[in-house]
């Protein structure tokens, strides 16, 4: 009887322990369930994706831009997680420090060649989330070719030379630097011989409604009377500070064996010109069949053909310090026949009057094709408008392929 009682007591103890284990497991499971439910109920914060908008131009359809000229966009971006960067076609254009949540900024894009260009702006936030703009199609036109100088940037430092040797080129000089957007250099200089002109680069276009190919800033030249009496001359000597590729120079029209014409080139020098007329000195009084040469003929020009422009390829230092023929490789001549409009001059005519100074003539002082680093421009040399207030504007001195 006692043994039976002991067995029953042990069974009861084990049952109690078993129940206690179940109870503890249930309690722990319930507690875990409570904790687990609490975690599931906690709100998860999801930050909105960043936003990007092109606010200018307002109309993004039919956009056109001039090759080698900047086209401006205004971009507005925002990000709840904070801004990280903005890129254009994979290239980063702006980055942000921590904490910047929104921004509006301008970005200038400069097309480099003709054709349709797809532009996609992308904003990235601090969490790495990105949003891209709709594709913007920009039609680029007016490819200037191999750009020597656009003349669109402002003047830089100006240095006056009090003496220069030899004296035949006159004593007083002003040399001014200007920034260049071009294929050859980022900075160039022009040289004013004996103050024959006033000159400024980066001047507002004289034609506010110019075709797209002629839009943008320009170089403005106003001629002054030359001290040595040849009214209307203005030797504008440009120095690029680096040589033009020899093969390019040799691809331009060259002087023929009889030195009275040019052989055809596979490339040509071009420049855009605008002559601003005035009531005080009408264009019609300077050119045409009825113009009187008087005591000041236009040396090397035919006024009946229009208003002449000479352009010489030079080795700058050799030419600026020596007689006319020194340092000259080739000279060209072209004419405009209308004022108050942009005209593109393609130099494919020989400046015959100075042919004996050019390479190919046997002149030992002429420059060779491998050292050309400068250009001289003479606008309307000897046309008698040396005191003219009629400004002449220039854009995009370049070398282009023959069509």
């Amino acid at each position: 009887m006692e043994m039976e009682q002991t067995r029953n007591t042990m069974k009861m103890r084990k049952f109690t322990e078993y129940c206690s284990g179940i109870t503890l497991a249930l309690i722990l499971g319930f507690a875990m369930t409570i904790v687990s439910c609490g975690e599931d109920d906690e709100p998860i914060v999801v930050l909105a994706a960043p936003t990007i908008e092109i606010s200018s131009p307002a109309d993004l359809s039919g956009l056109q831009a001039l090759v080698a000229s900047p086209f401006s966009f205004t971009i507005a971006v925002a990000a709840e997680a904070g801004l990280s960067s903005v890129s254009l076609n994979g290239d980063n254009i702006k980055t942000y420090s921590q904490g910047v949540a929104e921004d509006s900024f301008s970005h200038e894009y400069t097309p480099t060649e003709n054709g349709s260009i797809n532009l996609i702006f992308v904003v990235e936030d601090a969490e790495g989330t990105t949003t891209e703009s709709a594709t913007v199609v920009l039609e680029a036109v007016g490819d200037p070719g191999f750009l020597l100088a656009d003349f669109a940037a402002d003047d830089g430092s100006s240095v006056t030379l009090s003496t220069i040797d030899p004296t035949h080129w006159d004593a007083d000089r002003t040399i001014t630097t200007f920034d260049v957007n071009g294929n050859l250099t980022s900075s160039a200089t022009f040289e004013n011989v004996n103050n024959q002109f006033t000159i400024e680069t980066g001047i507002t276009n004289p034609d506010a409604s110019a075709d797209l190919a002629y839009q943008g800033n320009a170089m403005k030249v106003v001629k002054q009377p030359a001290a040595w009496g040849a009214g209307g001359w203005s030797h504008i000597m440009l120095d690029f500070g680096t040589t033009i590729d020899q093969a390019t120079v040799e691809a331009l029209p060259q002087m023929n064996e009889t030195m009275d014409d040019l052989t055809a080139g596979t490339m040509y020098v071009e420049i855009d010109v605008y002559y601003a007329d005035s009531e005080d000195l009408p264009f019609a009084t300077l050119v045409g069949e009825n113009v009187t040469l008087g005591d000041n003929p236009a040396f090397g020009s035919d006024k009946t053909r229009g208003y002449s422009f000479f352009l010489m390829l030079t080795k700058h230092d050799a030419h600026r310090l020596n007689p006319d023929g020194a340092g000259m490789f080739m000279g060209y001549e072209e004419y405009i026949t209308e004022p108050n409009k942009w005209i593109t001059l393609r130099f494919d005519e020989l400046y015959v009057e100075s042919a004996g100074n050019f390479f190919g003539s046997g002149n030992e002082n002429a420059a060779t094709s491998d050292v050309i680093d400068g250009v001289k421009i003479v606008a309307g040399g000897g046309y008698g408008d040396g005191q003219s207030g009629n400004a002449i504007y220039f854009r995009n001195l370049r070398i282009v392929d023959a069509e």
Side-chain angles (χ1 to χ4, degrees), residues 22-79:
I22 293 175
T23 302
L24 180 60
L26 288 173
I27 293 171
L28 290 174
F30 181 70
M32 290 177 68
T33 301
I34 294 175
V35 171
S36 176
C37 290
E39 289 177 349
D40 288 342
D41 291 340
E42 186 176 321
I44 299 174
V45 178
V46 179
L47 298 178
T51 60
I52 183 167
E53 178 186 2
I54 302 173
S55 56
S56 177
D59 185 0
L60 296 176
S61 62
L63 295 183
Q64 282 193 316
L66 187 64
V67 172
S69 295
F71 188 92
S72 183
F73 293 93
T74 300
I75 314 296
V77 291

Side-chain angles (χ1 to χ4, degrees), residues 22-251:
I22 293 175
T23 302
L24 180 60
L26 288 173
I27 293 171
L28 290 174
F30 181 70
M32 290 177 68
T33 301
I34 294 175
V35 171
S36 176
C37 290
E39 289 177 349
D40 288 342
D41 291 340
E42 186 176 321
I44 299 174
V45 178
V46 179
L47 298 178
T51 60
I52 183 167
E53 178 186 2
I54 302 173
S55 56
S56 177
D59 185 0
L60 296 176
S61 62
L63 295 183
Q64 282 193 316
L66 187 64
V67 172
S69 295
F71 188 92
S72 183
F73 293 93
T74 300
I75 314 296
V77 291
E80 286 187 1
L83 293 166
S84 175
S85 66
V86 179
S87 62
L88 171 57
N89 289 356
D91 295 326
N92 188 48
I93 60 175
K94 190 165 186 181
T95 58
Y96 296 91
S97 57
Q98 187 174 2
V100 178
E102 60 182 34
D103 185 27
S104 179
F105 65 96
S106 294
H107 175 72
E108 290 186 340
Y109 175 80
T110 302
T112 58
E113 59 184 9
N114 285 339
S116 293
I117 306 165
N118 293 330
L119 303 176
I120 301 176
F121 295 88
V122 176
V123 59
E124 182 176 353
D125 68 15
E127 292 186 342
T129 304
T130 61
T131 301
E132 66 181 38
S133 69
T135 300
V136 178
V137 180
L138 187 66
E139 187 71 25
V141 300
D143 188 347
F146 187 86
L147 190 59
L148 297 173
D150 61 342
F151 303 121
D154 294 336
D155 298 341
S157 60
S158 177
V159 178
T160 300
L161 303 183
S162 59
T163 59
I164 195 166
D165 187 48
T167 58
H168 68 271
W169 251 130
D170 308 307
D172 297 329
R173 301 288 186 95
T174 302
I175 297 177
T176 303
T177 63
F178 63 99
D179 292 332
V180 174
N181 176 26
N183 298 93
L184 189 65
T185 181
S186 60
S187 179
T189 70
F190 59 79
E191 188 160 337
N192 188 347
V193 181
N194 202 239
N195 300 313
Q196 295 174 352
F197 53 86
T198 60
I199 189 169
E200 300 170 276
T201 60
I203 296 301
T204 300
N205 197 304
D207 184 358
S209 59
D211 291 342
L212 182 62
Y214 296 115
Q215 290 179 13
N217 290 348
M219 178 171 70
K220 178 182 179 182
V221 175
V222 178
K223 299 195 297 180
Q224 305 296 321
W228 31 273
W233 284 85
S234 55
H235 296 80
I236 305 167
M237 294 194 290
L238 303 173
D239 178 17
F240 302 119
T242 185
T243 57
I244 303 172
D245 180 68
Q246 182 177 5
T248 300
V249 174
E250 293 177 351

